[in-house]
Amino acid sequence: MSETSNSLSFKRLKWQCRRGMLELDILLEPFLDEIYLTLEEEDKQRFHKLIECEDQELFPWFMQKEKPEDSDLARIVNIIVTRVQPKSY
């Protein structure tokens, strides 16, 4: 069964994208809404792995101050940064 924006798994993921930092919210939520469902299954799994990380880890990755050591995380961070550009940041 394929995932849709109405599926329970997608709704859970949407809830997990709501973070404690606005900077992360303006990247993760639009990415989920606009791009996530078009990803290959492997990249979807990478996104799930990314969402499990703490905000303190995510922030420097998305601000491009650091790169994740894990190649899977580095790939999904790069996909998000290159595909979702905040309009007012």
Side-chain angles (χ1 to χ4, degrees):
M1 184 166 77
S2 73
E3 197 169 28
T4 68
S5 61
N6 290 323
S7 66
L8 185 57
S9 62
F10 185 86
K11 288 178 182 182
R12 282 187 187 137
L13 200 53
K14 187 159 182 75
W15 181 254
Q16 290 175 303
C17 284
R18 297 190 67 192
R19 309 305 285 213
M21 298 178 134
L22 177 62
E23 294 87 350
L24 298 177
D25 289 350
I26 62 175
L27 289 169
L28 295 175
E29 290 184 44
F31 180 81
L32 181 71
D33 291 338
E34 299 166 14
I35 299 165
Y36 173 80
L37 291 174
T38 67
L39 295 175
E40 298 289 328
E41 190 58 38
E42 295 83 16
D43 287 331
K44 287 181 181 180
Q45 293 306 314
R46 289 178 179 109
F47 188 76
H48 282 268
K49 186 176 181 180
L50 180 78
I51 290 300
E52 297 299 319
C53 296
E54 298 291 329
D55 289 359
Q56 296 83 353
E57 291 177 289
L58 297 174
F59 185 75
W61 298 344
F62 286 117
M63 297 302 114
Q64 299 178 314
K65 304 269 187 214
E66 296 176 13
K67 289 188 176 185
E69 290 181 16
D70 182 304
S71 62
D72 285 336
L73 293 175
R75 175 176 166 76
I76 195 65
V77 166
N78 184 56
I79 290 170
I80 293 168
V81 167
T82 58
R83 298 199 50 198
V84 177
Q85 296 298 322
K87 292 178 179 119
S88 63
Y89 185 73

